[in-house]
């Protein structure tokens, strides 16, 4: 058995003692608070401190509430984000279509005979072939 | 886990011995709650049981003589009493508040140390 396993076993064995000590300390603290509050001046100190703590907690809650968006706000944000994404997709699709159309034009121009490409009817090559067929 | 060898030097502790060693460990944590100590000073503060808190301090005086002071705080339904030697006296308002603040810190730090050990199990 290695050293780590032994320590872990010892810890497992010790767990109830640790929990028991935690419990004793908690009760000792509670008892001390009760006994201390017998003194009116100390009681006043406790009351003032508890009020300050409550006030601090309340202001923390307010700050958190302000900082955290409401569910409706979240939904709006999500909708806006979805709309933006949709628009971006639309723009991208349009750009892609334009690119595809340009490419198609380029390909068509490259394969068209020179005259046809220039808008002048059939090419010499095509004409020659027609003559051969007629003969 | 790394804390264990510091607390437990032997593996054959009885339950009582475990508790004693845990208290000794807590006393070290408690002793550090009040800031740094001058050289040659030793301070311990700990919860002995549900009704008793102990402050123990040892130091060497200017003449090289070892001095020891132990204060026991007895928690009673009627208030907190301070015992030094055979003398008992009630705590002043300021002492009571300071003791309570120390107890709160002690609980926080000891609990944090124990929680760390318990998580490792």
């Amino acid at each position: 058995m290695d050293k780590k396993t032994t320590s872990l076993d010892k810890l497992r064995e010790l767990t109830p003692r640790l929990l028991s000590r935690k419990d004793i300390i908690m009760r000792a603290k509670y008892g001390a608070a009760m006994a201390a509050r017998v003194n009116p001046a100390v009681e006043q100190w406790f009351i003032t401190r508890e009020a300050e703590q409550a006030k601090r907690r309340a202001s923390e809650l307010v700050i958190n509430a302000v900082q955290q968006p409401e569910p409706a706000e979240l939904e709006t944000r999500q909708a806006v984000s979805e709309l933006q994404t949709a628009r971006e997709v639309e723009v991208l699709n349009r750009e892609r279509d334009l690119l595809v159309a340009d490419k198609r034009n380029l390909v068509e121009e490259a394969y068209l005979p020179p005259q046809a490409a220039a808008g002048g009817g059939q090419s010499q090559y095509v004409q020659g072939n027609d003559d051969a067929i007629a003969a | 886990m790394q804390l264990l060898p510091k607390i437990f030097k032997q593996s054959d502790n009885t339950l009582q011995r475990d508790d004693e060693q845990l208290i000794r460990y807590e006393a070290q944590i408690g002793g550090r709650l009040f800031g740094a100590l001058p050289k040659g000073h030793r301070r311990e503060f700990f919860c002995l049981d549900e009704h008793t808190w102990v402050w123990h301090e040892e130091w060497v005086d200017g003449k090289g003589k070892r001095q020891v002071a132990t204060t026991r705080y007895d928690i009673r339904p009627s208030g907190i009493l301070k015992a030094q030697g055979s003398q008992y006296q009630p705590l002043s308002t300021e002492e009571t508040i300071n003791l309570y603040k120390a107890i709160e810190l002690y609980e926080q730090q000891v609990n944090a140390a124990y929680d760390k050990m318990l998580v490792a199990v």
Side-chain angles (χ1 to χ4, degrees):
Chain A
M1 197 184 287
D2 61 19
K3 205 174 171 182
K4 199 176 173 182
T5 316
T6 315
S7 294
L8 203 61
D9 286 345
K10 180 66 207 161
L11 253 186
R12 282 197 189 108
E13 195 184 303
L14 190 70
T15 299
R17 307 314 309 153
L18 290 177
L19 294 173
S20 158
R21 277 303 298 168
K22 282 181 71 163
D23 187 51
I24 288 170
I25 294 165
M26 190 195 69
R27 279 192 273 165
K29 181 187 151 193
Y30 179 75
M34 292 297 106
R37 293 178 90 136
V38 168
N39 175 337
V42 179
E43 168 69 358
Q44 191 51 52
W45 175 79
F46 268 97
I47 291 169
T48 310
R49 200 172 73 141
E50 279 158 11
E52 280 168 4
Q53 285 171 343
K55 207 170 147 187
R56 207 176 310 131
R57 273 197 299 274
S59 60
E60 276 169 10
L61 282 175
V62 170
I63 289 166
N64 287 342
V66 169
Q67 283 174 347
Q68 280 174 3
E70 290 286 316
E73 196 185 330
L74 274 177
E75 279 173 25
T76 312
R77 273 194 213 170
Q78 200 180 343
V80 167
S81 160
E82 280 170 11
L83 193 66
Q84 277 174 343
T85 311
R87 279 185 188 155
E88 279 165 9
V89 169
E90 204 182 312
V91 168
L92 283 171
N93 281 340
R94 208 178 304 139
E95 282 177 2
R96 186 202 56 202
D97 290 345
L98 286 172
L99 278 171
V100 168
D102 279 354
K103 202 174 172 186
R104 195 178 295 134
N105 287 341
L106 283 171
V107 169
E108 279 172 4
E109 278 174 22
Y111 279 95
L112 271 178
Q115 278 183 345
Q122 279 188 319
S123 69
Q124 289 273 316
Y125 176 74
V126 174
Q127 182 73 47
N129 275 351
D130 287 349
D131 291 347
I133 291 164
Chain B
M1 287 294 283
Q2 286 173 343
L3 298 170
L4 266 185
K6 290 179 192 165
I7 311 169
F8 298 98
K9 287 174 182 138
Q10 294 169 3
S11 59
D12 58 343
N13 299 301
T14 61
L15 287 182
Q16 195 190 343
R17 198 163 160 71
D18 280 350
D19 275 349
E20 281 172 14
Q21 288 191 303
L22 285 176
I23 290 173
R24 219 168 290 144
Y25 173 62
E26 290 173 23
Q28 288 173 14
I29 295 177
R32 291 194 293 264
L33 295 177
F34 311 93
L37 284 169
K39 205 180 167 190
H41 240 81
R42 190 173 144 232
R43 181 184 292 153
E44 290 178 337
F45 175 67
F46 58 92
C47 170
L48 184 66
D49 57 40
E50 273 179 52
H51 315 283
T52 320
W53 291 84
V54 177
W55 174 293
H56 179 82
E57 200 145 341
E58 285 179 28
W59 70 99
V60 179
D61 67 14
K63 292 173 187 167
K65 202 177 165 196
R66 191 169 153 264
Q67 300 289 334
V68 178
T70 303
T71 306
R72 205 178 70 230
Y73 299 95
D74 281 1
I75 312 296
R76 300 185 178 193
S78 56
I80 302 175
L81 291 179
K82 179 167 82 170
Q84 283 174 321
S86 57
Q87 276 198 323
Y88 268 95
Q89 60 183 93
L91 284 189
S92 71
T93 300
E94 200 185 341
E95 278 178 311
T96 309
I97 291 171
N98 287 339
L99 174 68
Y100 186 73
K101 283 180 180 172
I103 289 173
E104 270 190 331
L105 270 177
Y106 180 94
E107 192 211 15
Q108 282 170 17
Q109 298 207 7
V110 170
N111 270 351
Y114 285 170
D115 286 344
K116 219 168 164 182
M117 290 186 212
L118 290 167
V119 163
V121 178

